[in-house]
Amino acid sequence: QVQLVESGGGLVQAGGSLRLSCAASGRTFSSYAMGWFRQTPGKEREFVAAISGSGGITYYPNSVTGRFTISRDNAKNTVYLQMNSLKAEDTAVYYCAAVARRPSSDWNEYDYWGQGTQVTVSS
């Protein structure tokens, strides 16, 4: 069982930056690939970033490539999402998730989810 707690969301102006954190419980954090997803009301959950257990492999969709960076610190059981050059369309609730397999862009494959943190970008 893995418990995930996100933090770092908030209100930021367009062009600004935020760093989200996701703290995980458990002693096997490095065996899980981690992902970040986001969701706005009435829309499907959208893939934002994923990282392998070792941190050596990362994936991003085109919409955030070059602006967002996912990283992890396995000693601290934490995964991060650095978001730069934020746009109004990045406004959403951001979720982190864990999967005991290779990283994936498909939210259906993830086993554990955090409660989400709100990111609001004002234009």
Side-chain angles (χ1 to χ4, degrees), residues 19 36 51 58 60 69-73 78-82:
R19 188 175 81 156
W36 285 97
I51 189 167
T58 57
Y60 305 93
T69 302
I70 189 171
S71 62
R72 65 190 297 160
D73 185 338
T78 302
V79 63
Y80 304 97
L81 184 68
Q82 177 67 45

PDB file of all heavy atoms in Angstrom, residues 19 36 51 58 60 69-73 78-82:
ATOM      1  N   ARG A  19       6.420  24.731  -8.040  1.00  0.00           N
ATOM      2  CA  ARG A  19       6.951  23.376  -7.896  1.00  0.00           C
ATOM      3  C   ARG A  19       5.999  22.580  -7.020  1.00  0.00           C
ATOM      4  O   ARG A  19       5.775  22.937  -5.853  1.00  0.00           O
ATOM      5  CB  ARG A  19       8.345  23.351  -7.299  1.00  0.00           C
ATOM      6  CG  ARG A  19       8.951  21.949  -7.354  1.00  0.00           C
ATOM      7  CD  ARG A  19      10.382  21.870  -6.873  1.00  0.00           C
ATOM      8  NE  ARG A  19      10.475  21.807  -5.412  1.00  0.00           N
ATOM      9  CZ  ARG A  19      11.507  21.285  -4.766  1.00  0.00           C
ATOM     10  NH1 ARG A  19      12.518  20.774  -5.436  1.00  0.00           N
ATOM     11  NH2 ARG A  19      11.529  21.279  -3.439  1.00  0.00           N
ATOM     12  N   TRP A  36       2.392  12.349 -12.964  1.00  0.00           N
ATOM     13  CA  TRP A  36       1.566  13.514 -12.632  1.00  0.00           C
ATOM     14  C   TRP A  36       0.477  13.634 -13.698  1.00  0.00           C
ATOM     15  O   TRP A  36       0.756  13.500 -14.906  1.00  0.00           O
ATOM     16  CB  TRP A  36       2.385  14.794 -12.618  1.00  0.00           C
ATOM     17  CG  TRP A  36       3.269  14.973 -11.419  1.00  0.00           C
ATOM     18  CD1 TRP A  36       4.597  14.679 -11.318  1.00  0.00           C
ATOM     19  CD2 TRP A  36       2.879  15.503 -10.142  1.00  0.00           C
ATOM     20  NE1 TRP A  36       5.043  14.988 -10.055  1.00  0.00           N
ATOM     21  CE2 TRP A  36       4.028  15.500  -9.314  1.00  0.00           C
ATOM     22  CE3 TRP A  36       1.684  15.986  -9.612  1.00  0.00           C
ATOM     23  CZ2 TRP A  36       4.003  15.960  -7.999  1.00  0.00           C
ATOM     24  CZ3 TRP A  36       1.665  16.447  -8.306  1.00  0.00           C
ATOM     25  CH2 TRP A  36       2.802  16.432  -7.512  1.00  0.00           C
ATOM     26  N   ILE A  51       7.850   9.335 -14.572  1.00  0.00           N
ATOM     27  CA  ILE A  51       9.259   9.071 -14.320  1.00  0.00           C
ATOM     28  C   ILE A  51       9.409   7.641 -13.827  1.00  0.00           C
ATOM     29  O   ILE A  51       8.569   7.124 -13.080  1.00  0.00           O
ATOM     30  CB  ILE A  51       9.815  10.089 -13.299  1.00  0.00           C
ATOM     31  CG1 ILE A  51      11.327   9.983 -13.176  1.00  0.00           C
ATOM     32  CG2 ILE A  51       9.132   9.954 -11.945  1.00  0.00           C
ATOM     33  CD1 ILE A  51      11.955  11.163 -12.420  1.00  0.00           C
ATOM     34  N   THR A  58      12.045   9.647 -18.310  1.00  0.00           N
ATOM     35  CA  THR A  58      10.929  10.566 -18.106  1.00  0.00           C
ATOM     36  C   THR A  58      10.123  10.691 -19.394  1.00  0.00           C
ATOM     37  O   THR A  58      10.660  10.516 -20.497  1.00  0.00           O
ATOM     38  CB  THR A  58      11.406  11.960 -17.674  1.00  0.00           C
ATOM     39  OG1 THR A  58      12.316  12.471 -18.658  1.00  0.00           O
ATOM     40  CG2 THR A  58      12.097  11.911 -16.324  1.00  0.00           C
ATOM     41  N   TYR A  60       6.846  13.138 -21.252  1.00  0.00           N
ATOM     42  CA  TYR A  60       5.995  14.329 -21.207  1.00  0.00           C
ATOM     43  C   TYR A  60       5.137  14.379 -22.461  1.00  0.00           C
ATOM     44  O   TYR A  60       5.584  13.980 -23.538  1.00  0.00           O
ATOM     45  CB  TYR A  60       6.834  15.605 -21.167  1.00  0.00           C
ATOM     46  CG  TYR A  60       7.849  15.687 -20.062  1.00  0.00           C
ATOM     47  CD1 TYR A  60       9.160  15.276 -20.254  1.00  0.00           C
ATOM     48  CD2 TYR A  60       7.496  16.199 -18.817  1.00  0.00           C
ATOM     49  CE1 TYR A  60      10.102  15.358 -19.241  1.00  0.00           C
ATOM     50  CE2 TYR A  60       8.425  16.295 -17.799  1.00  0.00           C
ATOM     51  CZ  TYR A  60       9.722  15.871 -18.012  1.00  0.00           C
ATOM     52  OH  TYR A  60      10.647  15.964 -17.003  1.00  0.00           O
ATOM     53  N   THR A  69       9.175  19.855 -15.639  1.00  0.00           N
ATOM     54  CA  THR A  69      10.202  18.845 -15.390  1.00  0.00           C
ATOM     55  C   THR A  69       9.805  18.001 -14.197  1.00  0.00           C
ATOM     56  O   THR A  69       9.530  18.535 -13.118  1.00  0.00           O
ATOM     57  CB  THR A  69      11.562  19.502 -15.108  1.00  0.00           C
ATOM     58  OG1 THR A  69      11.931  20.331 -16.215  1.00  0.00           O
ATOM     59  CG2 THR A  69      12.632  18.436 -14.912  1.00  0.00           C
ATOM     60  N   ILE A  70       9.786  16.701 -14.400  1.00  0.00           N
ATOM     61  CA  ILE A  70       9.523  15.775 -13.308  1.00  0.00           C
ATOM     62  C   ILE A  70      10.852  15.235 -12.790  1.00  0.00           C
ATOM     63  O   ILE A  70      11.778  14.975 -13.561  1.00  0.00           O
ATOM     64  CB  ILE A  70       8.589  14.618 -13.755  1.00  0.00           C
ATOM     65  CG1 ILE A  70       8.147  13.778 -12.563  1.00  0.00           C
ATOM     66  CG2 ILE A  70       9.244  13.764 -14.836  1.00  0.00           C
ATOM     67  CD1 ILE A  70       7.063  12.753 -12.912  1.00  0.00           C
ATOM     68  N   SER A  71      10.943  15.081 -11.484  1.00  0.00           N
ATOM     69  CA  SER A  71      12.142  14.525 -10.868  1.00  0.00           C
ATOM     70  C   SER A  71      11.724  13.806  -9.593  1.00  0.00           C
ATOM     71  O   SER A  71      10.584  13.934  -9.139  1.00  0.00           O
ATOM     72  CB  SER A  71      13.166  15.624 -10.565  1.00  0.00           C
ATOM     73  OG  SER A  71      12.632  16.558  -9.645  1.00  0.00           O
ATOM     74  N   ARG A  72      12.651  13.060  -9.035  1.00  0.00           N
ATOM     75  CA  ARG A  72      12.341  12.346  -7.799  1.00  0.00           C
ATOM     76  C   ARG A  72      13.578  12.249  -6.940  1.00  0.00           C
ATOM     77  O   ARG A  72      14.709  12.221  -7.430  1.00  0.00           O
ATOM     78  CB  ARG A  72      11.775  10.964  -8.100  1.00  0.00           C
ATOM     79  CG  ARG A  72      12.715   9.997  -8.769  1.00  0.00           C
ATOM     80  CD  ARG A  72      11.973   8.730  -9.251  1.00  0.00           C
ATOM     81  NE  ARG A  72      11.403   7.988  -8.146  1.00  0.00           N
ATOM     82  CZ  ARG A  72      10.405   7.104  -8.275  1.00  0.00           C
ATOM     83  NH1 ARG A  72       9.885   6.866  -9.450  1.00  0.00           N
ATOM     84  NH2 ARG A  72       9.948   6.458  -7.223  1.00  0.00           N
ATOM     85  N   ASP A  73      13.340  12.157  -5.639  1.00  0.00           N
ATOM     86  CA  ASP A  73      14.393  11.937  -4.657  1.00  0.00           C
ATOM     87  C   ASP A  73      13.980  10.701  -3.874  1.00  0.00           C
ATOM     88  O   ASP A  73      13.127  10.777  -2.974  1.00  0.00           O
ATOM     89  CB  ASP A  73      14.534  13.151  -3.751  1.00  0.00           C
ATOM     90  CG  ASP A  73      15.690  13.033  -2.784  1.00  0.00           C
ATOM     91  OD1 ASP A  73      16.118  11.886  -2.507  1.00  0.00           O
ATOM     92  OD2 ASP A  73      16.150  14.056  -2.276  1.00  0.00           O
ATOM     93  N   THR A  78       9.978  11.228  -2.417  1.00  0.00           N
ATOM     94  CA  THR A  78       9.255  12.376  -2.946  1.00  0.00           C
ATOM     95  C   THR A  78       9.489  12.513  -4.446  1.00  0.00           C
ATOM     96  O   THR A  78      10.611  12.320  -4.932  1.00  0.00           O
ATOM     97  CB  THR A  78       9.688  13.672  -2.235  1.00  0.00           C
ATOM     98  OG1 THR A  78       9.455  13.538  -0.831  1.00  0.00           O
ATOM     99  CG2 THR A  78       8.894  14.864  -2.744  1.00  0.00           C
ATOM    100  N   VAL A  79       8.429  12.867  -5.142  1.00  0.00           N
ATOM    101  CA  VAL A  79       8.509  13.197  -6.559  1.00  0.00           C
ATOM    102  C   VAL A  79       8.077  14.658  -6.724  1.00  0.00           C
ATOM    103  O   VAL A  79       7.213  15.137  -5.984  1.00  0.00           O
ATOM    104  CB  VAL A  79       7.646  12.259  -7.420  1.00  0.00           C
ATOM    105  CG1 VAL A  79       6.166  12.373  -7.075  1.00  0.00           C
ATOM    106  CG2 VAL A  79       7.878  12.492  -8.900  1.00  0.00           C
ATOM    107  N   TYR A  80       8.707  15.338  -7.668  1.00  0.00           N
ATOM    108  CA  TYR A  80       8.470  16.757  -7.871  1.00  0.00           C
ATOM    109  C   TYR A  80       7.993  17.023  -9.297  1.00  0.00           C
ATOM    110  O   TYR A  80       8.291  16.279 -10.226  1.00  0.00           O
ATOM    111  CB  TYR A  80       9.759  17.546  -7.634  1.00  0.00           C
ATOM    112  CG  TYR A  80      10.380  17.318  -6.287  1.00  0.00           C
ATOM    113  CD1 TYR A  80      11.419  16.401  -6.139  1.00  0.00           C
ATOM    114  CD2 TYR A  80       9.935  18.004  -5.162  1.00  0.00           C
ATOM    115  CE1 TYR A  80      12.003  16.181  -4.897  1.00  0.00           C
ATOM    116  CE2 TYR A  80      10.513  17.788  -3.917  1.00  0.00           C
ATOM    117  CZ  TYR A  80      11.537  16.869  -3.793  1.00  0.00           C
ATOM    118  OH  TYR A  80      12.107  16.650  -2.569  1.00  0.00           O
ATOM    119  N   LEU A  81       7.291  18.120  -9.438  1.00  0.00           N
ATOM    120  CA  LEU A  81       6.944  18.617 -10.770  1.00  0.00           C
ATOM    121  C   LEU A  81       7.254  20.115 -10.781  1.00  0.00           C
ATOM    122  O   LEU A  81       6.543  20.902 -10.152  1.00  0.00           O
ATOM    123  CB  LEU A  81       5.469  18.379 -11.094  1.00  0.00           C
ATOM    124  CG  LEU A  81       5.061  18.800 -12.509  1.00  0.00           C
ATOM    125  CD1 LEU A  81       5.727  17.889 -13.549  1.00  0.00           C
ATOM    126  CD2 LEU A  81       3.540  18.768 -12.684  1.00  0.00           C
ATOM    127  N   GLN A  82       8.325  20.469 -11.470  1.00  0.00           N
ATOM    128  CA  GLN A  82       8.686  21.872 -11.639  1.00  0.00           C
ATOM    129  C   GLN A  82       7.953  22.395 -12.867  1.00  0.00           C
ATOM    130  O   GLN A  82       8.115  21.857 -13.967  1.00  0.00           O
ATOM    131  CB  GLN A  82      10.193  22.013 -11.818  1.00  0.00           C
ATOM    132  CG  GLN A  82      10.648  23.443 -12.065  1.00  0.00           C
ATOM    133  CD  GLN A  82      10.432  24.348 -10.868  1.00  0.00           C
ATOM    134  OE1 GLN A  82      10.744  23.967  -9.740  1.00  0.00           O
ATOM    135  NE2 GLN A  82       9.928  25.555 -11.097  1.00  0.00           N
TER     136      GLN A  82
END
